[in-house]
Amino acid sequence: MTEDLETFRAETRAWLEANCPPEMRQPVRSDKDINWGGRNPVFQPGQKEWMDAMAGRGWTVPDWPQAYGGGGLSPAQTKILREEMRKLGCRNPLNSFGISMLGPALLKYGTEEQKREHLPRIARGEIRWCQGYSEPNAGSDLAGLATSAEDKGDHFLVNGQKVWTSYADKADWIFCLVRTDKSTKQGGISFLLFDMETPGVSTRPILLISGYSPFCETFFDDVKVPKGNLLGELNKGWDVAKYLLGHEREMISGMGNEGGNKSLHAIARDKVGLTEDGKLADPLLRAQMALFEVRTRAFGAMSERFMDELKAGRAHPAQPSMMKYYGTELNKTRNELMMAAGGSDLLEWESDASNGGAAARAWLRTKANSIEGGTSEIQLNIIAKRILQLPGA
Amino acid sequence: MPLFLDDEQTMLRDTARDYVSEQMPVAHMRKLRDDANPDGFSREHWKSFAEMGFTGILIPESHGGLGLGQVEAGVVLEEIGRNLAPSPFLTTAVAAVEALKGSAQAERWFPGILAGETVAALALDEKAKHDGKVAMEAKRSGNGFVLSGAKQFVTHGHVADLMLVAAQLEGEATLFAVPADTAGVTATPERLTDASLASRVTFEDVRLDGDAAIGGDAYARMLDAARIGASAEMLGVGGGAMDMTMGYLKDRKQFGVAIGSFQALQHRAAHLYSELEVARAAVLKAQQDIDTGRAENPAMLAAVAKAMTGLATTLSVQEAIQMHGGIGMTDEHDIGFYMKRARVLAEMFGDTNFHADAVAKMAGF
Ligand SMILES: Cc1cc2nc3c(=O)[nH]c(=O)nc-3n(C[C@H](O)[C@H](O)[C@H](O)COP(=O)(O)OP(=O)(O)OC[C@H]3O[C@@H](n4cnc5c(N)ncnc54)[C@H](O)[C@@H]3O)c2cc1C
């Protein structure tokens, strides 16, 4: 077994070395460096080759079954692949809500037909998905959503509005929570998949404090969705939604996990300077950074432990909430420290020197980490009730 | 190897948990304190630890031990911490064994440790704060050495059979194995905040054989093991305090409801849970990577573990007293003992700030 894994590791490394283009071994510097795939993608040099090479082996989704475009790798092999990619500095070949959120839900709740239709296209990066959960009056209280889907025999007629739909204007399909029964709250929600080009779907961007606007309001006006696009059972969409949220939280929690904090250290050394004995010249900043470094490294171990427990089926089902909470708070701290270290150099908003204000924009963007995918307060509620079993208020 | 306990480690934990929680619950420590027990721990339980194989966890099989690793030692330490059980396990079965392993001294001391008869103490610090520096000097004399100087915060120093003493030898911090009854060694015990006993130890022209020096590498290895071990014990203290607090949140009623239903407390409890889980991962990672030989930098792993458990456990005991309200301030309630023990363990072998500073240095800033 271990010998097989060693062989797998050697072969994997050799393949990555031969197939990962040099451009794809550079650190991600801005949003442009992230590939989201889709019907109308804009690729940077090397991006498409890298995605296609990985998809060819099923390695954009290494642990999915081969029948659906995956790599069919065991948990141990998947871990090795990730480790080898990290060692070589390979970028993620494809970022996608299809992979991190919808895919797992399709694997669990989809019909064979739905799996064959959607999963391979997700794996190859052909279809870009967005998430239609939140509504203007259903944020933390998501189950209070009002967007309705009426049964019209062979199709549902969808009407209503979503908000905060990340990349809705660039997405090809949406996975969407709709109300199919008004008489109960959680028990009247269904989970629909549909094409964003369906007549009646429109989007309007929302500008964020970071100056970016990857978020949209999404409107549905008499949108006809075929019945076959229902994922899971009618009125049982809340189960699917919660399952998917677990995966979303798991994905977001990865953020706190950049052990080493290399760019933070480099910026601090560069901008703040060092004393004669090689310590940062601002002792209080250094102290804050040191404690942060301890937490990041410890959280790195926590992430490893969490993934191992998850794969072995022994993680508490509410543990993703803890990972999401801790990881996002850490990520916010990292960006606060980065701004504190960078001083006025990082305040330039558009200059070339600041790479278009990348650090400041990233700092502002991270403020959403503890809001999106369920706020930190909601995660703490979940931990308190489901893990610590404190009495319901 | 996945980062959680395997079946055998879980079984060992259950055995340790059953024994320590039944035989050495907090009441045991309270009684030792109230009786002003001069040893500061129970020899009878130390024997039982030996009978259960605990004292030989880290001793190689070739010497009659179990030949297990830091993970297994940590499993026992955590239960010791959870019950605030006074025991020479950390200094003797973990730190001393790690130091002596592979040295000419192993043959001499391992049998007593295996039998639950020998107690070892670590004479490392010379002032109130552990700063990793050693001023005390050892001089060569004939085939052996002469030690002079003073140490403090030497837990179990007054009952020790063996002292591991850090001293400078020709410019390198080196560890010496010193039989506690050697002429010139005097240990004066003082009771600490947590009712444990630690000594101020003086060394006056202490003459040692040539094989007493067990080297600089052994010193570094021992420090890593001691720090990670103290982290595991501290994790037990933090976890024990948290368990007690969660129980209280569910039982105590005010305004007609359990106080645990108040969100202000729920959120703090959930945050505390997160900190302790992260600390637990850091400790297990350090233990496992050292046991499997994967650790590129054991000192970094140890520093992260000690600093992180310091943060998490300090939070745990502080929240524990606050959430217990007035009763938490009484000597009659056990929760206060957790705060005292956590403070002592936090200082032992370097506090959170010391280790965070070390992490920063190793990370290059
Ligand atoms: C950048 C960004 C991207 C997003 N992407 C998507 C997306 O792609 N798809 C999608 O569907 N949604 C998306 N969201 C929406 C996100 O999931 C919601 O914003 C989030 O769930 C919070 O809802 P809300 O904004 O309505 O805040 P509210 O629910 O109004 O909360 C306001 C404040 O009250 C607190 N609060 C609320 N209820 C409680 C409670 N019971 N106990 C304690 N505190 C409470 C909250 O924690 C928060 O601090 C995104 C949001 C952001 C900011």
Side-chain angles (χ1 to χ4, degrees):
Chain A
M1 179 64 184
T2 29
E3 212 169 287
D4 285 354
L5 286 179
E6 282 316 307
T7 314
F8 176 79
R9 185 185 291 279
E11 285 170 6
T12 300
R13 180 176 325 170
W15 186 88
L16 289 171
E17 263 166 10
N19 288 279
C20 185
E23 302 94 320
M24 294 296 107
R25 297 192 203 178
Q26 316 283 330
V28 171
R29 292 185 64 237
S30 76
D31 273 7
K32 275 185 235 122
D33 292 343
I34 296 171
N35 170 33
W36 293 88
R39 277 179 194 146
N40 310 301
V42 191
F43 289 116
Q44 292 196 311
Q47 248 175 5
K48 182 164 172 29
E49 295 74 5
W50 177 222
M51 176 179 78
D52 288 346
M54 286 289 275
R57 316 201 89 193
W59 282 4
T60 51
V61 282
D63 51 357
W64 288 10
Q66 282 174 327
Y68 308 129
L73 300 190
S74 69
Q77 289 172 321
T78 306
K79 194 168 170 176
I80 288 174
L81 171 61
R82 300 247 146 87
E83 281 167 9
E84 292 306 315
M85 284 176 68
R86 210 174 315 125
K87 278 188 213 152
L88 285 184
C90 305
R91 281 189 194 164
N92 201 2
L94 177 62
N95 257 49
S96 139
F97 295 166
I99 293 175
S100 54
M101 299 195 227
L102 181 62
L106 269 168
L107 282 166
K108 185 168 163 85
Y109 293 97
T111 61
E112 187 56 31
E113 211 183 328
Q114 287 170 335
K115 289 182 196 172
R116 291 201 182 267
E117 179 184 355
H118 296 297
L119 291 172
R121 293 200 289 167
I122 291 173
R124 291 193 300 266
E126 291 168 5
I127 294 292
R128 182 167 178 178
W129 288 85
C130 65
Q131 178 186 38
Y133 273 30
S134 304
E135 299 185 8
N137 292 312
S140 297
D141 187 14
L142 181 59
L145 59 92
T147 294
S148 69
E150 263 179 277
D151 191 336
K152 294 286 181 185
D154 65 336
H155 68 269
F156 293 105
L157 196 64
V158 179
N159 278 290
Q161 183 197 341
K162 294 287 170 183
V163 72
W164 290 117
T165 341
S166 306
Y167 306 108
D169 52 344
K170 298 196 181 68
D172 307 307
W173 278 62
I174 187 167
F175 50 93
C176 195
L177 293 179
V178 293
R179 181 153 300 288
T180 37
D181 182 351
K182 289 198 173 71
S183 63
T184 79
K185 204 176 174 186
Q186 266 102 336
I189 294 170
S190 298
F191 199 106
L192 286 184
L193 315 173
F194 54 93
D195 196 317
M196 291 292 278
E197 284 180 1
T198 318
V201 179
S202 59
T203 63
R204 198 169 75 201
I206 306 172
L207 192 63
L208 293 190
I209 53 176
S210 59
Y212 294 137
S213 62
F215 306 93
C216 296
E217 292 179 285
T218 306
F219 303 91
F220 308 124
D221 186 12
D222 279 344
V223 180
K224 285 185 187 171
V225 177
K227 281 281 192 60
N229 290 14
L230 177 74
L231 181 60
E233 285 175 52
L234 188 71
N235 293 330
K236 296 249 175 84
W238 189 243
D239 294 342
V240 186
K242 277 195 304 186
Y243 182 75
L244 187 146
L245 268 176
H247 283 272
E248 178 175 10
R249 285 167 190 165
E250 198 183 304
M251 171 196 68
I252 297 179
S253 74
M255 287 174 166
N257 198 12
E258 286 165 35
N261 292 300
K262 287 212 182 66
S263 57
L264 174 57
H265 301 163
I267 287 197
R269 279 191 293 255
D270 184 30
K271 310 289 178 192
V272 177
L274 299 177
T275 61
E276 272 168 19
D277 58 353
K279 294 185 179 179
L280 276 190
D282 176 344
L284 289 181
L285 177 66
R286 179 174 183 273
Q288 290 168 346
M289 278 176 54
L291 289 171
F292 174 70
E293 184 73 27
V294 167
R295 284 205 160 85
T296 325
R297 285 175 184 267
F299 187 69
M302 182 65 220
S303 300
E304 186 180 338
R305 174 185 157 208
F306 173 60
M307 291 318 284
D308 287 346
E309 287 186 337
L310 212 56
K311 282 175 202 145
R314 37 192 290 170
H316 189 290
Q319 194 75 326
S321 287
M322 176 266 177
M323 295 299 296
K324 200 255 171 192
Y325 166 65
Y326 209 92
T328 57
E329 297 295 338
L330 268 187
N331 201 40
K332 287 202 300 183
T333 306
R334 168 184 298 112
N335 282 269
E336 281 296 335
L337 289 170
M338 186 80 95
M339 293 307 288
S344 60
D345 279 356
L346 295 194
L347 295 174
E348 289 178 3
W349 192 243
E350 277 156 355
S351 66
D352 287 341
S354 69
N355 194 15
R361 291 169 194 269
W363 160 65
L364 289 162
R365 175 62 183 83
T366 60
K367 297 306 172 193
N369 295 163
S370 49
I371 299 172
E372 60 200 322
T375 65
S376 282
E377 289 75 22
I378 295 298
Q379 308 312 324
L380 292 173
N381 285 350
I382 293 173
I383 297 167
K385 301 220 165 67
R386 302 205 28 222
I387 300 181
L388 303 177
Q389 312 227 300
L390 293 175
Chain B
M1 183 175 292
L3 202 57
F4 47 74
L5 298 184
D6 66 23
D7 290 347
E8 281 169 35
Q9 290 160 346
T10 306
M11 264 167 56
L12 177 67
R13 186 202 54 199
D14 293 345
T15 309
R17 181 167 288 182
D18 288 349
Y19 181 83
V20 181
S21 68
E22 279 162 26
Q23 304 295 320
M24 312 165 83
V26 183
H28 167 68
M29 181 241 126
R30 181 187 287 278
K31 178 146 182 17
L32 292 177
R33 179 197 71 165
D34 291 350
D35 297 349
N37 179 295
D39 287 349
F41 76 102
S42 149
R43 297 211 175 254
E44 188 194 327
H45 289 312
W46 187 228
K47 272 263 181 223
S48 302
F49 265 34
E51 279 154 24
M52 286 182 292
F54 295 170
T55 57
I57 283 179
L58 284 168
I59 294 179
E61 283 173 304
S62 55
H63 281 89
L66 297 179
L68 298 169
Q70 306 292 339
V71 175
E72 287 82 4
V75 151
V76 176
L77 281 165
E78 193 178 336
E79 299 313 315
I80 288 175
R82 191 182 305 281
N83 294 283
L84 310 178
S87 169
F89 185 81
L90 175 59
T91 55
T92 310
V94 180
V97 167
E98 202 53 60
L100 298 174
K101 230 182 232 178
S103 84
Q105 297 276 334
E107 208 67 69
R108 171 162 178 199
W109 297 103
F110 282 175
I113 295 175
L114 279 169
E117 279 157 8
T118 298
V119 169
L122 315 182
L124 311 177
D125 296 343
E126 292 158 16
K127 55 194 188 60
K129 296 297 289 185
H130 174 96
D131 59 4
K133 295 192 182 106
V134 179
M136 184 165 154
E137 275 191 65
K139 294 207 175 68
R140 284 192 193 276
S141 154
N143 287 335
F145 308 93
V146 183
L147 283 184
S148 284
K151 297 281 180 177
Q152 66 181 64
F153 198 24
V154 183
T155 314
H156 306 299
H158 68 303
V159 285
D161 306 285
L162 163 68
M163 279 196 205
L164 291 156
V165 187
Q168 292 289 341
L169 180 66
E170 288 145 12
E172 192 202 7
T174 302
L175 208 56
F176 292 86
V178 180
D181 57 7
T182 313
V185 179
T186 317
T188 316
E190 299 292 349
R191 206 166 282 284
L192 303 184
T193 310
D194 67 341
S196 70
L197 289 159
S199 296
R200 294 184 182 271
V201 183
T202 53
F203 299 84
E204 265 174 87
D205 278 332
V206 176
R207 301 196 168 266
L208 303 171
D209 293 342
D211 64 1
I214 47 184
D217 286 350
Y219 181 39
R221 224 178 43 232
M222 183 193 82
L223 270 180
D224 289 341
R227 286 166 175 163
I228 294 169
S231 304
E233 187 172 340
M234 201 157 38
L235 195 62
V237 175
M242 173 158 172
D243 288 350
M244 202 175 269
T245 307
M246 292 309 113
Y248 194 69
L249 291 184
K250 289 169 197 171
D251 286 349
R252 172 73 173 167
K253 290 213 166 66
Q254 289 292 285
F255 304 99
V257 294
I259 56 172
S261 65
F262 299 132
Q263 199 182 51
L265 302 190
Q266 287 191 348
H267 280 194
R268 280 159 47 191
H271 171 71
L272 168 57
Y273 166 80
S274 309
E275 291 280 9
L276 275 172
E277 284 287 285
V278 172
R280 168 175 304 283
V283 173
L284 188 57
K285 175 85 181 155
Q287 295 164 335
Q288 210 188 65
D289 278 10
I290 288 176
D291 287 346
T292 55
R294 252 186 326 198
E296 277 164 34
N297 185 356
M300 175 66 110
L301 291 166
V304 170
K306 187 82 192 345
M308 188 65 218
T309 42
L311 291 170
T313 296
T314 302
L315 179 70
S316 180
V317 297
Q318 287 170 350
E319 288 289 42
I321 301 259
Q322 180 64 21
M323 292 196 202
H324 273 81
I327 193 84
M329 286 301 294
T330 63
D331 185 72
E332 188 190 334
H333 199 287
D334 286 342
I335 195 68
F337 287 139
Y338 283 83
M339 176 163 278
K340 297 176 186 181
R341 185 69 188 140
R343 187 87 281 285
V344 170
L345 285 168
E347 284 306 322
M348 210 176 268
F349 318 129
D351 70 0
T352 295
N353 290 350
F354 170 80
H355 286 294
D357 180 75
V359 168
K361 266 188 224 150
M362 286 185 263
F365 66 92

